[in-house]
Amino acid sequence: MTTTEVEQLAFHINSVKKDAQEHLMAQIEINGKLTPMQIDTAADVTIISERVAQTIPNLVIRPSDKVLKSYNGTNIEVVGSSQVKVQYKDQEIGKLPLTIVKGQGQTLLGLDWLRCIKIDWPSILRVTGTKQEPAEEISLTNLLSDYKEVFEDRVGTVKNAQAVLVLKENATPRFSAPRPVPYALKTAVETEITRLESEGSWEKVDYSDWSSPLVPIVKDNGQVRLCGDYKVTLNPQLQVAQHPVPNPKDMFTTLSGCSVFSKIDLRQAFQQLSMDENSQKLCTVNTYLGLYRPKRLPYGVASSPAIWQQTMGKIFRNKLDLMYPSLQSVRTERL
């Protein structure tokens, strides 16, 4: 591709904003002048405004046919381009192309420069408590030690709560024979059954009025998730618990104006909720290794999503009431 063809390409860059307080910034020397630049991985080219260009020594601006557009498709007026000497900390990068645009917008460090500069990301991304005093760095080892119960390599257990499955009137036990497991999955299935039994999530039994065939689900990491095919045995005879699923629009409306958010990702969430003894019998799984009785809420049961959501919703509401009593009068059932 010739230089003229490159100049005629339409490059898409992020919007040029004046406020850089919340942006990732890097200090780059341009022709010996230390210049703060906003790191923008969405910008194909590096740009500076006319105002900043006036502060760069020995800057030779040449005409340019380059077409720049902001993220919303509007044109950004290009004044010209230049080849400038670039240095970042102890890295002498050499000559790089720089585009000068009309106005007084933000200086953007685009992909064309980022490919040549090894950015000191740990320094740029360091979390600080205030602008005056950096926050104390927390050792990962100390964090794992202080909250070892959270990071243990096992499934957690919801305290003071149990899942209860309710049958329809005149429900009769259904017993299904085990299904064959592909030879390629047998080792993984046996390993997972052993793990579930050793951690107390499954219990081997000799007799059961109820049983559902085992269904191994292969995960991306090569391991398997063991489920029961309850749609042919238990689900048709189960009173399915009903719990409304929050509408995303309602949730976003409730969150309007909030500034602090958190995310929780629970490992094998359903199986963190134990079941009462009668429900365990209903969920018995028949495998080629024998009968196993899940002690925790299994996947595949029609009531599992609603029971989980209802139980955890009550727990979170109670926790919020204890932590923030003033919210009791304003909280909604959407939580």
Side-chain angles (χ1 to χ4, degrees), residues 201-269:
S201 295
W202 279 20
E203 178 186 9
K204 198 172 192 312
V205 295
D206 296 325
Y207 307 98
S208 178
D209 294 330
W210 291 82
S211 82
S212 300
L214 178 71
V215 180
I217 307 298
V218 181
K219 298 191 289 187
D220 293 338
N221 59 7
Q223 297 178 348
V224 294
R225 174 181 289 125
L226 302 184
C227 306
D229 188 3
Y230 297 107
K231 69 177 182 291
V232 299
T233 54
L234 177 61
N235 287 346
Q237 304 190 76
L238 197 63
Q239 289 189 12
V240 180
Q242 299 296 328
H243 187 76
V245 177
N247 185 294
K249 292 183 179 179
D250 294 337
M251 294 177 63
F252 293 141
T253 301
T254 304
L255 296 174
S256 176
C258 297
S259 58
V260 179
F261 301 90
S262 64
K263 176 182 177 181
I264 184 170
D265 185 6
L266 301 176
R267 178 181 179 184
Q268 299 181 25

Side-chain angles (χ1 to χ4, degrees), residues 46-120:
T46 299
I47 67 172
I48 62 172
S49 66
E50 282 183 308
R51 177 180 59 82
V52 176
Q54 294 173 359
T55 67
I56 305 298
N58 304 320
L59 185 67
V60 179
I61 301 177
R62 298 180 175 84
S64 173
D65 295 330
K66 191 173 294 182
V67 178
L68 299 183
K69 294 181 181 293
S70 67
Y71 73 99
N72 60 6
T74 58
N75 289 328
I76 298 176
E77 186 175 351
V78 176
V79 175
S81 62
S82 179
Q83 289 286 327
V84 294
K85 184 178 179 181
V86 178
Q87 182 168 341
Y88 174 65
K89 295 189 175 182
D90 58 350
Q91 303 176 44
E92 294 186 3
I93 311 302
K95 293 281 189 176
L96 291 178
L98 179 64
T99 302
I100 297 89
V101 298
K102 198 77 174 176
Q104 303 180 14
Q106 179 61 267
T107 299
L108 297 183
L109 178 57
L111 286 175
D112 56 344
W113 283 25
L114 287 173
R115 292 189 180 100
C116 303
I117 302 174
K118 295 181 180 180
I119 295 294
D120 183 9

Side-chain angles (χ1 to χ4, degrees), residues 14 21 35 86 92 100 126 146 154 169 212 285 287 310:
N14 197 3
Q21 292 181 357
T35 306
V86 178
E92 294 186 3
I100 297 89
R126 181 177 294 119
D146 294 341
R154 63 181 181 85
E169 294 184 5
S212 300
V285 176
T287 77
Q310 187 176 30

